[in-house]
Each structure stands twice: as C-alpha cells, then as structure tokens.
Amino acid sequence: PPSPTPSTPLHYLFRSSSHSSCIMSRALFAVAIACAVAVAVAQPTFPDNWTSDQTNQIAINQGGVKNPDGSICCPPDAPECKVQTGFSAAIQYQWYSGNMSATKGPDNSGIVVDFNAQKEYAVLANGSCTAYCPLGGQTMSPGIGIGPNATNLGKVNYNGRMLNLYQVLTQIPILNITMEATNFYVDESGPTPVPVAIIQLIEPLGHQIGQQNNTFVTFVPGVPDKSHFTVVGAASCPMSKNCNGNNGGDDDGGQGSSMFMTARRLASEGTVEMPEANIVSHMGVGQKKIQLDW
C-alpha cells in the first residue's frame, strides 16, 4: 500500500482497523533461525537514539485472488480463504544508550520496553503500569535493526522515490527454504541515510501469505525525552495474560523455536502444510503483528 507522507496527522496514532473481505498485502513472521544472504555489504549508518512517527500496515492473504486495482478478495466459491488487514500508528522512541524503547500514542500511553529489567510494560498516559511481559533474554539492536548480513540490491523506485534497497532473507539452514524476506528502503541522497520503510514478506516454506509495511513518516535523531520511558509501579505490576505464553515479549510470541522445528520437519518430509495466520495486538494494546499457528 502507498506510504503516508510526512504531513500525515498524528491523530491517526494507535488507530487500527481489520477487514475480512478485500485488502492490500502485509505480515510479520519472526523466527529464531539463521538469516542467510548472498553477500554481506557495508551498511548505512543510523543513529542509535531516535524518535519516529510510524505507521504499520498488515495484510494476510490465504487463498484470496488479487484484483487489477491491487485489492485482494476471497472468491465466493472458495472452500477455504482468509483475507485480513490491520492498520496502526504510533510514535517510536528508541533510547539505545539507555537500553530502552517505547511505542506510544499521542496521549503518551502505550508500551515501554526495558531491556535492563528484561520486561516490557503496558502503561497509561501517566506512566502507570497495567501489565508486563518478560523479554526472555532479548537484546536491543542499534540503529534501525538492519544487521550486518544484508544484501545491497541497489537503487529501486519506491512510491516514486529512488531509494537504496537492502534485503535480509530468513531461511531454514541446510534446506535453504525461505521463511521471510525483510526489505529495508533507505534514502541515501543526503549527507546522512534516512530510513523510509521496512517491508517484511512472510513466506513460510516459500509460499507468501502476508506482508507487513512499517513506514517511517518522520525520523529525528537524538535521545528522546526520558519521560516517555517512565513506568510507575513497575515492581508491583502484574504479568499480562496476553503474553502469548512466551518469554519473548514483542518478538514472535514465543513461537520461534517450535515453529521453526515444525517448518523444518514439514520441509524435510516434503509436506506442504501452511500455518494459519492471524492479526493480533501485542499485549492487547500495542501495535498489530501477525501470529502464525501450525
């Protein structure tokens, strides 16, 4: 779907929608497996501390048909078909030097991730904690998370702009079956690189079933105001019942290892069995993501 412009009003933040008829595509499938790429290249350098207004668009297509206008619909005679979309927007605060991040709405409510305490907290506008989920050993990534093992695919046209495209493929080791492709679109026309969008193509066992577009509407380097990371009552905050049974907080709902083992077994057996995909809100209040269940 087309990316919003920097003039997108922030009253859309934390607004979300979901449809089951016609949609555009997108999804997230984070798995704890190796990221395989053709050639490691020099990566653009981004600041480790920054603030960004972001939109997040997700689409799932399991059995739908793509129309000439780009929309996707379930045929009336399809025996099994799921087409879903979700949209959310928020302000992302990245405080790498403090080992914390936060995803907030315009009223300052949202989620605070504290990698020092290994917890993420759902907080109200005044910072009061309502619930937490454990992180299970996750660490914070510098910059915007491209990582060292990306392939530079050169300049491409993205929504009318010529941007540099960096790609990371997540594959099943040895079998070399792609599970996910992550594309980073970067504007390197100025003195410093600026992230524009991160698009993840979810394709378990090589079959694309979804896509997730994360757009950087704005990008401001510098340490965010520390008030955005305030958690009141952290010591007495109860554990959320919506942690998806994981110790993985905002990664893959704790599914990474088991889903990887299932995918590897199916691939080695030559069995084609697709997981069921659903759009869920992290901890019930955070930005939407895709959850896959085999």
Side-chain angles (χ1 to χ4, degrees), residues 231-245:
V231 180
V232 179
S236 58
C237 193
M239 183 171 175
S240 172
K241 296 180 180 179
N242 194 29
C243 293
N244 298 320

Side-chain angles (χ1 to χ4, degrees), residues 34-195:
C35 291
V37 294
V39 181
V41 296
Q43 305 299 322
T45 302
F46 298 97
D48 292 331
N49 303 300
W50 47 266
T51 301
S52 174
D53 299 327
Q54 298 185 2
T55 61
N56 184 40
Q57 296 166 293
I58 301 177
I60 294 173
N61 176 18
Q62 293 186 284
V65 176
K66 191 171 184 177
N67 299 316
D69 63 358
S71 63
I72 302 172
C73 296
C74 284
D77 57 348
E80 293 184 10
C81 179
K82 176 184 285 188
V83 176
Q84 284 183 300
T85 111
F87 173 86
S88 59
I91 308 171
Q92 179 71 30
Y93 301 99
Q94 193 83 349
W95 183 23
Y96 182 76
S97 56
N99 213 25
M100 298 182 74
S101 68
T103 306
K104 299 289 192 72
D107 66 347
N108 203 42
S109 66
I111 291 181
V112 175
V113 184
D114 187 342
F115 291 90
N116 301 298
Q118 280 294 291
K119 291 182 178 180
E120 58 182 343
Y121 306 92
V123 299
L124 302 176
N126 63 359
S128 297
C129 182
T130 60
Y132 83 91
C133 282
L135 292 180
Q138 288 186 65
T139 57
M140 193 173 184
S141 299
I144 65 168
I146 288 183
N149 298 319
T151 300
N152 185 347
L153 299 181
K155 287 190 176 295
V156 298
N157 187 320
Y158 179 80
N159 288 342
R161 301 171 60 182
M162 294 306 297
L163 304 176
N164 285 82
L165 172 59
Y166 297 85
Q167 184 180 75
V168 174
L169 298 180
T170 302
Q171 298 179 319
I172 299 177
I174 302 176
L175 299 175
N176 293 326
I177 296 176
T178 298
M179 300 294 289
E180 177 184 323
T182 304
N183 295 326
F184 296 85
Y185 293 86
V186 182
D187 185 350
E188 297 185 69
S189 61
T192 58
V194 178

Side-chain angles (χ1 to χ4, degrees), residues 29 31-33 172 175 177 179 204-205 254-276 292-294:
F29 174 36
V31 286
I33 59 180
I172 299 177
L175 299 175
I177 296 176
M179 300 294 289
L205 303 180
Q255 304 175 92
S257 178
S258 61
M259 292 184 70
F260 162 65
M261 294 302 293
T262 300
R264 184 167 185 172
R265 175 180 59 78
L266 292 173
S268 63
E269 294 173 352
T271 303
V272 179
E273 179 182 324
M274 289 296 99
E276 181 175 350
L292 300 183
D293 296 304
W294 252 290

Side-chain angles (χ1 to χ4, degrees), residues 182-244:
T182 304
N183 295 326
F184 296 85
Y185 293 86
V186 182
D187 185 350
E188 297 185 69
S189 61
T192 58
V194 178
V196 175
I198 300 175
I199 297 181
Q200 291 168 294
L201 305 176
I202 312 307
E203 38 193 13
L205 303 180
H207 298 270
Q208 186 176 336
I209 63 173
Q211 180 176 318
Q212 180 161 329
N213 299 353
N214 192 62
T215 301
F216 294 78
V217 181
T218 63
F219 186 77
V220 181
V223 176
D225 191 295
K226 295 179 177 59
S227 64
H228 300 300
F229 306 97
T230 298
V231 180
V232 179
S236 58
C237 193
M239 183 171 175
S240 172
K241 296 180 180 179
N242 194 29
C243 293
N244 298 320

